[in-house]
Amino acid sequence: MTISVSSDHAGYELKQKVIAYLKEKGINVIEEGAPSGDKPYSYVEAGCALAEDVLSGKADKGIAICGTGIGISIVVNKYKGIRCGLCNNEYTARMVRQHNNGNVLAMGARVVGQAVALGMVDAFLNEEFAGERHAERVGDICKVEEKNFK
């Protein structure tokens, strides 16, 4: 499994913690976004790089981090085929996979602590899509994308 992890400057420190955690688990990581936390780095650029990694198949899933998680989640959801959930706890991280077949987890470095963030990473990566009634709704999401992404 390969995971793309990207952040703006505000999420840089948490991004480094997440990357180290994933590597400890033997997961391949593509690091995108801010090269440090010292200079401003756009969550737009960081989100675009991550979305392109996932859509191209370079990465199986993505983890997007900015100060609140809001901006970067909006950006990645502008890509057809991305289903990103902004999560604040393990439950929502499980649900974005289980109910929405999400392929990107977003979080806010100024919103969640490190322990919660790493718990969300585990929940997101270990949860399977439940299918059944949820598959119909994910199909409906894809229909909305087909209609509105031109």
Side-chain angles (χ1 to χ4, degrees):
M1 177 184 306
T2 300
I3 306 298
S4 180
V5 184
S6 191
S7 76
D8 67 355
H9 60 283
Y12 178 79
E13 185 177 321
L14 183 57
K15 176 179 74 169
Q16 295 310 304
K17 302 283 187 191
V18 168
I19 288 170
Y21 185 70
L22 292 171
K23 287 182 176 181
E24 285 174 15
K25 294 177 162 290
I27 296 172
N28 295 322
V29 175
I30 300 170
E31 181 177 356
E32 298 284 10
S36 74
D38 298 334
K39 295 181 190 173
Y41 191 95
S42 172
Y43 60 79
V44 175
E45 189 175 339
C48 290
L50 182 146
E52 290 169 13
D53 285 348
V54 173
L55 291 176
S56 71
K58 283 174 50 179
D60 299 297
K61 292 182 178 74
I63 300 172
I65 307 166
C66 70
T68 62
I70 297 168
I72 201 164
S73 67
I74 290 170
V75 171
V76 297
N77 276 314
K78 295 295 182 188
Y79 282 77
K80 183 178 177 182
I82 295 291
R83 287 176 306 283
C84 172
L86 171 56
C87 299
N88 295 314
N89 55 51
E90 290 179 30
Y91 176 76
T92 55
R94 279 194 311 275
M95 292 301 103
V96 74
R97 287 286 307 129
Q98 191 180 106
H99 290 187
N100 308 113
N101 200 16
N103 50 10
V104 178
L105 167 66
M107 64 180 81
R110 295 175 178 148
V111 177
V112 299
Q114 179 181 330
V116 171
L118 299 180
M120 290 192 308
V121 167
D122 282 338
F124 179 74
L125 296 181
N126 294 329
E127 191 66 42
E128 297 292 328
F129 178 49
E132 298 180 13
R133 68 186 170 102
H134 304 293
E136 182 178 343
R137 288 171 184 62
V138 171
D140 290 343
I141 291 169
C142 293
K143 289 176 188 172
V144 170
E145 283 182 338
E146 287 299 323
K147 178 182 173 191
N148 292 308
F149 281 77
K150 305 216 179 345

